[in-house]
Each structure stands twice: as structure tokens, then as C-alpha cells.
Amino acid sequence: MQALLNTGSTIDEGRLAKGGNKYSDEYTKECAVCWMCAEDFTSLGCPEKVSVTSRDGKHTIAVYSKVTEAMKSGQVFIPRSIWANIVVEPDTFSTGSPRYKGSPVFVEPTNEEVLSAEEVVLKLYMGGE
Amino acid sequence: MVHKNIICPVCGGSCDDVQIDLDTKNRTIDVQNACKMGNAKFQEVVSNHRLLKPTIRENGKVKEVSWDEALEMAADILVNARRPFFFLGSETSCEAQEVGLHIAEYLGGPADSNATICHGPTVMGIQESGMVGATAGQAKNRADMVVYWGVNALESMPRHMSKYGVFPRGYWTKRGRFDRTMVTVDPRVTPTAIASDLHLQLNPNSDYELLSALFTILNGREPHPSVEEITGIPISVMKQTVEMMKESNYVAIYVGLGVSSSYGKHRNIEIALNLVKELNNYTKCNIGALRGHCNVAGFNQLASYLYGYPFGLDFMKGYPRYNPGETTCVDLLREKDVDAAFVMSADLVNHIPADSAKYLAEIPMVCIDIAPCPTTTASDVVLPGVIDAMECDGTFYRLDNVPVYFEPFTDSPFPETKSNEDTLKQLFAKIKARKEA
Ligand code: SF4
């Protein structure tokens, strides 16, 4: 399914990030989550986890799914975090600010493991050190 | 011991009414008045995951070292780089950022701050069209209509609505919330939208079109019918919004990353600012950005005052240059245009897109931080940070660009440094010693 990705704060994301708990399970459960509406969730087959892929297909990340009335069909939301930023478009349109809001992404059901923030850095950014 | 009127060093709200009771013996801290986010950071003073020892990475292994060894290695990394990049994060004082800017100038590298990945486009929009601004107090006392555009204030600056925006009783808004109409513009049904009187649930990336349509209506014209499909908002609702604005005594508009990070970027802000100017022909109206990071406004003020540009500075030619898209953090890293990095008080690896973050993790990096996070994991040298407004004094700029001087209620836990400013001064001395040797 193609969707527009929105990212932003949630209060618990803020609480955990500012409290220095980015490597906690609670942070992963709060932030490694893709919010979508019931209609999109059903069309994907009600998966527990989804993989979100950037438009250019270069980056993919597995996150939990969450159904909410806050979203409209064709739009997904991931709290701002390392998981969301894996698929945020790095183009800045000559402003310096990447497209944290409105990046097109592909969302599919997956069985892949959801990585913790530390695992994302070590496996995806530091080549498995 | 109880301390009153402590400044919260977490978001741009810089709340100045926090009360804390620190029990050093039992290592507990009781925090009153701060929000969930603020409280979490105050707990860092006594937390057991606080970084207390400098570390370096050697042959892939992380080991604890003395402050002096860590500073030596940091200086080596920065002096030996051909183009070291300085990311002077916003969760620290202007005083520390100032030293960082001077180091960048001395070494001829680019320097940037959280503004670039936050309200950078907003600042660019202001450069294009100027801004009708006001302090938070003006808006609190006068505004009877409040618009949150592209910002979920309840979750990004949790006390904004209660301290400055919607609920407080002002001089001309004596009944607080009852004297104010609140409108939220957001593609998502956020808690802020739920608390509003009117929610314009626009389609993503259609802020420019919606602002243009409001502008057209304000000028007495009929917007093109296609704007309904593009924005998802009926023209009748747009007309109602404009009428509400014109009938108010004072409209305070707060913009967030929803406007400046969506498609259109600084052009969205530019047209919003022009709409505000036009609205001042009918009523009083001001606009301000809700700045998520604590002292992010401070870097803009400081860099403009010292070097003439608000962010994305490059000292490569010996004088400051500013070219967003070339000299800004995400672009420099995406284009692999720097070969070492210094990151202060910001979890940069967490906050930038994968292409840029991956390169940042590959190059030698020095960071100052208080807790384990992706940036400390990817760094080659980690210097423990001192928490501003809790363990040292200094200056922040609040969201409305008002400078706020803060004083500590306890001391730095490190005998080697009093503040991040102090750490940077020590680093600068080592860098100078190497360069001048
Ligand atoms: S709103 Fe911001 S400044 Fe105020 S207490 Fe919360 S985090 Fe701190």
C-alpha cells in the first residue's frame, strides 16, 4: 500500500526521549509504531507488524502497526524517532530540513523483527559492529 | 531542599515556574509544575543511566578514559579533519553554542544547529517576507482567537496551551479559555485538534493551497473550486474561518513543523506571513513558531548576531557563508561533504534521515550528551554533558525570542568541568595548542 508518511511528537515519545530512555523497550513500543486507519489496516490483512519502505526503495524498517481514528486512509504516522527517520526523504528542497511530513512510503505486512533503537544504529548505520 | 522558579530546559516554552525538591542523600527529586517531558528531564539529575565517564572507541571497543584523554582525542579528530562539522545542539546554553561557533570559525568548518532540522524553513520564510511577531505575554493578554497550524501543541510543547496560548487569563481575556476561540489545522486528529473549537483536517502537503485560498477570500475573491479537492476543506469552512479571524480582536497564529516540513517548506511560511500582514488590515494578528527544542531560537539569535546568518553557517572560506541546501547539516552529510563531526547536546543520529545518519556514523564523531542514545553509540569520543538550568547557569531564548537567564539548583557532577561551555573552552584550548604548535 502506498501512503503519505507523517511524523511528529507524542507525549510519551517526548517523556522517554527527554528522560534518556531511548534504549528502553517502552520507547520501542511507543515509537516503532505505524499508525493507520481501520480501512488501511484491514486492506493490509490486519498485520501485527508492517514494513515501511522509502519511495526510492533504498530503506526499509519493520515496525508494529496501530489502528487509530486519528488517521485518514492513505496516510500513516510514525512518532518522530530513529525508525521514522529511516524512511523520511533526505531531500531538503534547498532548505536544510528534510521531508519529515508528507514523504511517500510503501507499507506492507511483515514478519520481520522490530529492532530496538540501539540495534538500528548498530546494524543499519554501523554495519553490524 | 526546595527551589522555586527554576527554568525548564526541555522545550522552547522555557517554563519559568518549576519547583523542585532535591534530596541528594536518597537521590530523589520531586518536580512540581513541569509537564511529563520536563519532569522526565529533571529526573536525569538523579538517574542511574546518566553518562558520568568519558569514553572513546578504540579498535571497535568502547572504553572509559580520563577527561584529559578524551579531550585530547577529540581535539585530534577535529584538528586532523579537512572539513570538521559542528552541530551545536539546542539543549544547552547560548554561552556553550558561542564557544562552538568560534571553534568552527577557527577550524574553518560548517556549523549548524537543531534549527536546520526544525524551523529552518520558518526562518527562511521570515527572511523572505518579514514577520508580525509578539511576545508570548502579548498573545496571552490579548488573543481571543488562537490558531495552531501544523502543530500538535499538547504533545510537543505540553504547557503552551495552559501557560501562554489558550487557558490562561489575560488582561483582556479575563475568562481564559471561555474568551478564546481555538482553531487547529492538522491532517491528523491530534489531542490538540480534539481540544479545539474548529479542526480543519486538511490533506497532507496542501498547506500552501489552503493558505492561498484564505488569502484570496480575505481579499474578497472566490478561490478556485479545485481547492476543495486539493485541501479536503470545503470553501464554506474556509470562508467561516476568515470571518472568525476578521471578527476577532486579536488572532495569535502558531505554526509548527506541519507547515515548514511539508511540501512547500519556506514558501508555506512565506505565504502564512503575508496572510498575517494582510489580516492586520482588519484586526490585530501575529504569528510565531512553536519551537520544540529548548534553546533552538537561541542559536538563530546568536549566529545572526555574531556572523550574520541564522543557521547553516560555513567558515570554509575564512568568512561566514550561508546557503541552505548546501551548508546545512542534512545536506552536508547526505553529500558526504564533511569528514568529522562534533555534536553537542543533540541526538543527531536519531533525528536525521538514514542516508545522512549512516554517513555520520561512519565518520569520526565527538559528542557531548547526558544519556545513552544513538549518537553516543555511534560516536568515537563521548564527553558527558552538564545539564543546563539544573547544574550550571546560562541563557536560553524562549520560543518568542525572549532571552531567559537561568540559574542552577545543584552543581555539575564532574570536578573536571562546570558546564558544557567550560568543556568546550577546554577543548578549544587543546585545539589551539595543536594548531599553533
Ligand atoms: S512545556 Fe516545555 S518548558 Fe514547559 S515544562 Fe514542559 S517541557 Fe518544560
Side-chain angles (χ1 to χ4, degrees):
Chain A
M1 171 185 90
Q2 191 171 3
L4 285 178
L5 171 70
N6 189 355
T7 69
S9 333
T10 69
I11 187 70
D12 285 312
E13 172 270 324
R15 173 177 63 84
L16 293 159
K18 303 296 178 186
N21 289 309
K22 286 194 185 135
Y23 287 164
S24 66
D25 277 352
E26 210 187 341
Y27 185 71
T28 309
K29 295 242 159 67
E30 176 65 27
C31 298
V33 181
C34 180
W35 301 22
M36 61 188 86
C37 69
E39 192 187 330
D40 290 350
F41 183 67
T42 318
S43 77
L44 288 173
C46 307
E48 189 200 332
K49 289 179 279 184
V50 289
S51 71
V52 184
T53 306
S54 57
R55 174 164 53 177
D56 59 11
K58 258 170 77 182
H59 303 287
T60 298
I61 188 82
V63 291
Y64 301 106
S65 59
K66 167 176 164 170
V67 185
T68 161
E69 287 178 359
M71 306 305 299
K72 275 188 181 175
S73 179
Q75 301 171 23
V76 294
F77 174 84
I78 305 180
R80 69 164 179 203
S81 58
I82 199 158
W83 297 275
N85 288 327
I86 291 275
V87 285
V88 161
E89 295 208 340
D91 257 349
T92 72
F93 300 95
S94 289
T95 65
S97 162
R99 235 162 113 181
Y100 291 119
K101 317 260 181 188
S103 286
V105 291
F106 298 98
V107 183
E108 301 301 336
T110 188
N111 285 323
E112 293 224 344
E113 186 199 351
V114 176
L115 303 176
S116 71
E118 190 170 21
E119 286 166 341
V120 173
V121 188
L122 294 173
K123 290 190 182 160
L124 303 184
Y125 291 168
M126 298 175 70
E129 253 184 66
Chain B
M1 190 181 159
V2 176
H3 300 264
K4 290 188 176 171
N5 300 336
I6 299 296
I7 313 275
C8 173
V10 175
C11 78
S14 294
C15 294
D16 53 5
D17 56 353
V18 180
Q19 181 178 317
I20 67 111
D21 186 358
L22 178 65
D23 180 348
T24 35
K25 235 196 225 148
N26 298 316
R27 295 189 57 76
T28 58
I29 184 167
D30 177 57
V31 184
Q32 302 289 327
N33 296 345
C35 68
K36 259 186 176 183
M37 248 159 66
N39 178 43
K41 179 112 180 198
F42 277 96
Q43 299 301 328
E44 288 291 85
V45 172
V46 293
S47 81
N48 45 21
H49 57 236
R50 179 87 184 265
L51 298 177
L52 292 170
K53 284 262 189 293
T55 55
I56 61 168
R57 183 198 310 278
E58 221 172 43
N59 306 323
K61 294 255 175 310
V62 176
K63 64 170 192 183
E64 286 184 1
V65 292
S66 69
W67 274 82
D68 199 55
E69 278 175 88
L71 284 169
E72 292 283 341
M73 184 161 163
D76 280 338
I77 287 177
L78 298 172
V79 169
N80 293 334
R82 292 180 59 197
R83 193 157 152 74
F85 167 55
F86 292 81
F87 192 85
L88 309 167
S90 55
E91 288 198 22
T92 192
S93 64
C94 288
E95 287 79 356
Q97 291 172 343
E98 183 182 351
V99 184
L101 277 165
H102 292 325
I103 303 180
E105 184 186 17
Y106 184 78
L107 290 177
D112 209 350
S113 183
N114 291 73
T116 182
I117 48 172
C118 171
H119 273 291
T122 308
V123 176
M124 291 172 69
I126 296 170
Q127 289 174 326
E128 293 285 340
S129 43
M131 182 173 85
V132 186
T135 61
Q138 289 285 349
K140 170 186 153 185
N141 282 319
R142 295 171 193 273
D144 55 353
M145 180 169 176
V146 180
V147 182
Y148 288 106
W149 193 306
V151 61
N152 176 14
L154 265 180
E155 296 191 275
S156 59
M157 189 178 288
R159 289 184 72 206
H160 186 268
M161 281 169 62
S162 60
K163 197 161 186 314
Y164 306 115
V166 180
F167 295 103
R169 294 158 196 262
Y171 193 85
W172 282 281
T173 46
K174 291 228 162 26
R175 297 183 309 146
R177 173 70 176 98
F178 301 109
D179 277 340
R180 293 192 181 94
T181 311
M182 179 182 165
V183 178
T184 298
V185 186
D186 202 307
R188 222 164 32 105
V189 187
T190 61
T192 312
I194 292 168
S196 306
D197 300 307
L198 175 64
H199 174 206
L200 304 182
Q201 194 174 3
L202 83 173
N203 292 331
N205 295 335
S206 67
D207 301 77
Y208 192 91
E209 288 82 351
L210 182 55
L211 284 158
S212 310
L214 295 181
F215 212 153
T216 310
I217 294 167
L218 187 65
N219 283 325
R221 302 288 166 90
E222 192 67 19
H224 194 273
S226 65
V227 77
E228 287 198 343
E229 201 195 323
I230 294 169
T231 62
I233 311 284
I235 289 177
S236 59
V237 176
M238 296 180 200
K239 285 184 174 166
Q240 186 195 350
T241 311
V242 172
E243 238 10 81
M244 278 160 68
M245 286 175 161
K246 281 163 71 177
E247 282 167 13
S248 302
N249 291 325
Y250 189 115
V251 188
I253 302 178
Y254 301 100
V255 290
L257 290 198
V259 189
S260 61
S261 266
S262 308
Y263 205 91
K265 299 274 182 186
H266 59 304
R267 296 294 174 207
N268 295 338
I269 298 290
E270 185 188 356
I271 193 163
L273 292 164
N274 286 335
L275 175 73
V276 169
K277 275 193 248 171
E278 192 72 19
L279 267 168
N280 274 287
N281 289 333
Y282 302 88
T283 180
K284 292 250 181 299
C285 178
N286 86 287
I287 186 165
L290 279 207
R291 315 212 58 169
H293 300 96
C294 154
N295 190 28
V296 64
F299 184 85
N300 294 148
Q301 295 289 333
L302 186 72
S304 305
Y305 155 70
L306 287 173
Y307 297 111
Y309 301 115
F311 64 94
L313 300 112
D314 189 355
F315 295 100
M316 187 176 68
K317 296 199 169 172
Y319 54 87
R321 279 173 68 242
Y322 162 73
N323 186 16
E326 181 205 344
T327 60
T328 33
C329 165
V330 171
D331 306 275
L332 285 166
L333 293 166
R334 191 195 57 230
E335 298 303 318
K336 303 187 172 35
D337 204 9
V338 290
D339 59 351
F342 176 81
V343 179
M344 172 170 72
S345 304
D347 186 6
L348 193 56
V349 175
N350 198 46
H351 287 303
I352 53 177
D355 287 343
S356 306
K358 193 165 189 296
Y359 182 66
L360 181 61
E362 279 167 19
I363 59 177
M365 174 165 48
V366 180
C367 84
I368 296 187
D369 217 311
I370 59 167
C373 63
T375 303
T376 59
T377 301
S379 287
D380 297 279
V381 180
V382 179
L383 295 159
V386 179
I387 310 178
D388 290 86
M390 299 186 206
E391 297 166 345
C392 63
D393 68 340
T395 314
F396 291 149
Y397 276 76
R398 206 169 65 178
L399 76 157
D400 51 355
N401 294 314
V402 170
V404 180
Y405 173 68
F406 56 81
E407 286 179 308
F409 56 82
T410 182
D411 296 322
S412 158
F414 314 108
E416 295 86 351
T417 183
K418 291 199 293 287
S419 60
N420 294 338
E421 179 195 3
D422 187 10
T423 309
L424 258 75
K425 281 185 173 161
Q426 293 178 36
L427 178 64
F428 200 4
K430 289 199 186 296
I431 288 172
K432 274 187 179 158
R434 275 169 177 65
K435 275 288 201 192
E436 283 155 27

